[in-house]
Amino acid sequence: MDDTKQLEQFEAKIAAGLKIEPKDWMPEAYRKQLIRMMSQHAHSEIVGMLPEGNWITRAPSLRRKAILLAKVQDEAGHGLYLYSATETLGVNRSELLEQLHSGKAKYSSIFNYPTLTWADIGAIGWLVDGAAIMNQTALARGSYGPYSRAMVRICKEESFHNRQGYEIMMNLAQGTPEQKEMAQDAFNRWWWPSIMMLGPSDDKSPNSDQLMRWKVKMESNDAIRQRFIDRTVPQAEFIGLKVPDKDLKFNEVTGHYEHGPINWEEFFDVIKGNGPCNAKRIKDRSEADKKGAWVREAATAYAAKQAKEKVIA
Amino acid sequence: MNLQQAKFEYLLRLGDSSLIIGHRLSEWCGHGPILEEDIALINIALDFVGNATSLLGYAAQVEGKGRTEDDLAYLRGEREYRNLLITEQPNGDYAATIVRQFLYDTYTFFLYEELKSSKDETIAAIAVKSHKEITYHLRHTTQWMLRLGDGTAESHQRLQTALNELWMFTSELFDMDEVDRLLINEGIAADLDKVKAAWEKRVNEVITEATLLLPVTNIKQKGSREGKHSEHLGFLLAEMQYIPRSFPGSKW
Ligand SMILES: [Fe+2]
Ligand SMILES: [Fe+2]
Ligand SMILES: [Fe+2]
């Protein structure tokens, strides 16, 4: 079968709402784009463990400590699951990790901001996981089977992450004046980065019709961002926090919130590697990898010895 | 010392050890040698925090002074902590973490086995739940003892060094005092002589299979039962307790 014919069948399948599976024929551009997106997503999960892991040893109650541990464990699991899903496209995890450590691969810009106070843990769960859910529920309808199934599974856990974060914020916002200040400060610092993490606005993002047609991209960044804002602003108001956007207003006609200008310069700067924590995150990850090399070698050597013994026996 | 005081003390010993070793494991989060291990270590740390919460919660109840498990965890100082010295030792390299964990898991595996039949129903119930978790932890750390011990020359060397360095903290695991004797008489606590015999046998077996040598040392570090710790604990508690201590009376 020639390529044109295969492409036709591939597109027909997607149009009919069927999933593409690893062994199915797919255009090279589709494979490449998915590897890029899925590995970025996997990297984001494990880099995201760092800013939150930061606070496990300082969590202010045993209950909060347990919840945070469970959340970060979920994120590690998401990373593992997504690396495996990406491997179905013919790359392996160590190649992908090498791209992360060399700075070649990207991950979500949001994890390049520091977690300065306990309230940041609340803000991350509420805002960052909240924004991620918006994005991932869209991706769950995507055409690539392993990715779409990963998203369905992951989204279930994300709503717990979102809830625990909001609960932390609500508790602080209703606490002592100092706690309330802590909550508002964290909200001020995380609001804009969360809005930006959903990606450049449509006029700045080269989203081809092709990716939409292939159901790699399901919705425009701006549409997802709008849903996130519409959902989050009332939640902030409910717990008495002020959205740090003086231009924010509700449009009675459209039924949507309109936000002020987004500082895209900052966004692209952080993506380029100049955010407050880019260097530290990459350093932490690659140092963990280097420090763990002898452990992985030992495990491999031991497994080889065991396999040999089995053959002899 | 009356029975209530002995029980409170005993629960602190168990609960503090879980809390502190769980804290140490959680320090690995995001920095483990491989993603699968990150997940395993967080999972084990989570079990310890859960176990500590139950034990300290019960301790607070036994004490009857209106304190909570969080008060006990966050508002006691270094000299009031009763965790075993081995649990507060720093993570070191992965070999040191695995050895510390293996020695401690083997200990709690046999200890909680005994506590399952404690005449104190709450302790027995906690032990039943924890023993299932410990069985998994011990399987995990034992596997790593074998992999690292019988892996490469480097891993073997690192593991042997860690074993030699941590060995001086093991005799303390089996020390018994008035608290133990009082509670053993009541059928509440475990006889640590019994635990010791089982521990020695199992540890020896694994050390041999991992191609390691049993350390020879006469140094015996002790003191946790009187709240005399190594210098490491103060830093650990400073980090763990800083929020509740900075904002007295606040709820989190
Ligand atoms: Fe996640
Ligand atoms: Fe999450
Ligand atoms: Fe577990």
Side-chain angles (χ1 to χ4, degrees):
Chain A
M1 211 183 327
D2 62 30
D3 273 13
T4 346
K5 198 114 195 202
Q6 276 178 318
L7 181 64
E8 239 169 61
Q9 284 184 357
F10 168 84
E11 294 199 337
K13 219 165 159 183
I14 292 174
L18 297 173
K19 301 287 177 201
I20 304 299
E21 295 301 332
K23 290 208 168 72
D24 295 346
W25 183 91
M26 61 185 83
E28 207 39 42
Y30 178 85
R31 182 191 303 274
K32 277 217 176 97
Q33 178 65 15
L34 275 166
I35 291 177
R36 200 179 63 87
M37 276 175 65
M38 292 167 71
S39 62
Q40 274 182 16
H41 194 159
H43 296 327
S44 302
E45 300 284 355
I46 61 161
V47 175
M49 292 168 70
L50 296 169
E52 289 189 285
N54 220 356
W55 280 91
I56 290 173
T57 55
R58 293 176 290 173
S61 73
L62 294 173
R63 181 172 163 262
R64 292 288 175 211
K65 195 187 282 289
I67 292 174
L68 185 56
L69 275 164
K71 181 196 190 272
V72 178
Q73 187 190 352
D74 282 351
E75 306 300 5
H78 296 172
L80 192 60
Y81 199 52
L82 283 164
Y83 282 123
S84 308
T86 316
E87 284 184 329
T88 63
L89 290 162
V91 277
N92 60 48
R93 203 206 304 182
S94 55
E95 281 173 69
L96 298 172
L97 286 176
E98 216 174 281
Q99 290 168 7
L100 173 69
H101 302 147
S102 71
K104 200 181 141 210
K106 301 277 179 252
Y107 54 87
S108 181
S109 60
I110 195 90
F111 298 119
N112 293 313
Y113 292 88
T115 45
L116 300 180
T117 72
W118 169 250
D120 291 35
I121 296 307
I124 288 188
W126 175 32
L127 302 172
V128 178
D129 291 81
I133 291 172
M134 296 293 161
N135 191 28
Q136 291 169 10
T137 39
L139 290 171
R141 291 178 277 119
S143 62
Y144 188 55
Y147 194 31
S148 137
R149 287 189 289 273
M151 287 301 100
V152 171
R153 190 166 138 176
I154 286 173
C155 278
K156 280 188 197 138
E157 292 175 347
E158 293 299 351
S159 47
F160 148 65
H161 300 172
N162 182 241
R163 245 179 298 127
Q164 65 87 34
Y166 189 56
E167 197 196 290
I168 290 174
M169 289 304 258
M170 186 184 312
N171 181 74
L172 293 174
Q174 294 167 354
T176 64
E178 277 167 311
Q179 286 178 307
K180 190 166 180 173
E181 195 188 314
M182 197 189 272
Q184 182 66 55
D185 168 63
F187 188 37
N188 293 348
R189 283 180 290 109
W190 288 92
W191 172 253
W192 289 106
S194 310
I195 300 252
M196 289 192 265
M197 77 176 256
L198 292 165
S201 59
D202 301 341
D203 54 1
K204 288 189 180 61
S205 151
N207 264 317
S208 72
D209 300 343
Q210 194 186 48
L211 291 182
M212 288 277 193
R213 194 170 68 244
W214 285 351
K215 293 187 184 163
V216 170
K217 185 100 190 149
M218 299 302 293
E219 241 181 305
S220 81
N221 295 343
D222 284 338
I224 297 173
R225 185 166 16 252
Q226 188 62 56
R227 270 195 294 130
F228 172 66
I229 293 172
D230 287 343
R231 179 177 183 266
T232 311
V233 172
Q235 292 177 336
E237 283 166 356
F238 181 72
I239 58 175
L241 293 180
K242 201 176 163 332
V243 181
D245 177 357
K246 62 176 172 37
D247 300 316
L248 187 82
K249 55 177 180 292
F250 188 69
N251 185 326
E252 299 281 352
V253 180
T254 61
H256 293 298
Y257 284 92
E258 290 168 3
H259 57 80
I262 294 174
N263 184 355
W264 289 117
E265 222 169 285
E266 174 181 321
F267 174 77
F268 288 112
D269 202 41
V270 173
I271 290 278
K272 245 183 265 157
N274 304 330
C277 297
N278 294 65
K280 176 155 179 18
R281 300 286 185 247
I282 293 295
K283 190 167 179 232
D284 279 359
R285 284 309 317 164
S286 39
E287 259 171 25
D289 189 68
K290 254 181 251 154
K291 270 191 198 154
W294 70 269
V295 179
R296 298 190 299 273
E297 277 160 28
T300 311
Y302 179 75
K305 280 186 208 178
Q306 292 300 102
K308 211 165 158 194
E309 258 172 50
K310 232 185 211 162
V311 172
I312 295 167
Chain B
M1 182 176 294
N2 63 30
L3 191 62
Q4 179 204 18
Q5 287 165 331
K7 218 155 101 177
F8 177 64
E9 189 67 23
Y10 192 70
L11 289 164
L12 290 184
R13 291 174 185 179
L14 296 175
D16 287 350
S17 284
S18 284
L19 182 60
I20 299 301
I21 205 160
H23 181 104
R24 282 295 187 219
L25 288 176
S26 75
E27 290 173 350
W28 274 103
C29 182
H31 305 275
I34 186 166
L35 189 50
E36 284 82 347
E37 273 311 283
D38 255 316
I39 296 174
L41 293 182
I42 301 169
N43 185 268
I44 296 173
L46 186 54
D47 287 341
F48 279 120
V49 172
N51 175 256
T53 306
S54 306
L55 288 165
L56 294 179
Y58 185 40
Q61 190 189 321
V62 167
E63 188 194 33
K65 288 185 182 164
R67 291 205 274 185
T68 65
E69 57 267 35
D70 281 328
D71 294 333
L72 291 176
Y74 288 93
L75 302 174
R76 274 180 305 145
E78 295 87 329
R79 298 280 284 111
E80 294 164 285
Y81 257 78
R82 293 292 182 263
N83 61 288
L84 291 159
L85 299 178
I86 195 169
T87 61
E88 71 203 34
Q89 298 311 306
N91 285 339
D93 63 4
Y94 206 63
T97 293
I98 289 297
V99 169
R100 184 188 65 202
Q101 203 57 42
F102 167 71
L103 295 173
Y104 183 70
D105 286 345
T106 309
Y107 172 69
T108 51
F109 180 81
F110 294 113
L111 172 62
Y112 280 68
E113 179 70 53
E114 293 292 312
L115 291 178
K116 282 203 272 190
S117 48
S118 170
K119 283 200 178 131
D120 183 294
E121 280 176 19
T122 309
I123 292 179
I126 293 172
V128 167
K129 179 173 184 288
S130 300
H131 198 265
K132 289 194 193 114
E133 296 168 352
I134 295 165
T135 305
Y136 156 77
H137 302 166
L138 181 58
R139 200 179 305 145
H140 188 79
T141 41
T142 302
Q143 277 168 0
W144 275 106
M145 286 293 287
L146 302 181
R147 284 190 194 114
L148 298 182
D150 195 16
T152 63
E154 180 182 3
S155 69
H156 177 87
Q157 187 53 48
R158 283 176 184 264
L159 201 66
Q160 184 69 58
T161 305
L163 189 61
N164 296 347
E165 285 175 3
L166 284 164
W167 198 254
M168 63 180 170
F169 297 105
T170 56
S171 78
E172 188 202 37
L173 304 178
F174 310 103
D175 286 345
M176 286 187 279
D177 61 10
E178 197 194 341
V179 171
D180 297 273
R181 279 186 289 273
L182 216 152
L183 294 175
I184 289 170
N185 268 336
E186 298 291 325
I188 293 174
D191 181 347
L192 294 178
D193 285 338
K194 222 170 137 185
V195 174
K196 186 180 186 179
W199 182 89
E200 279 178 345
K201 184 168 176 286
R202 174 69 69 88
V203 167
N204 270 319
E205 283 165 6
V206 174
I207 284 181
T208 308
E209 201 187 332
T211 72
L212 298 163
L213 295 172
L214 200 68
V216 196
T217 175
N218 293 319
I219 306 171
K220 291 177 176 158
Q221 299 295 348
K222 57 172 84 188
S224 72
R225 282 167 180 73
E226 296 90 49
K228 291 179 188 159
H229 291 272
S230 57
E231 289 178 344
H232 304 297
L233 185 67
F235 291 98
L236 187 157
L237 293 181
E239 182 174 340
M240 183 172 93
Q241 299 179 336
Y242 108 87
I243 299 181
R245 286 192 185 270
S246 307
F247 303 92
S250 301
K251 296 265 174 297
W252 301 94

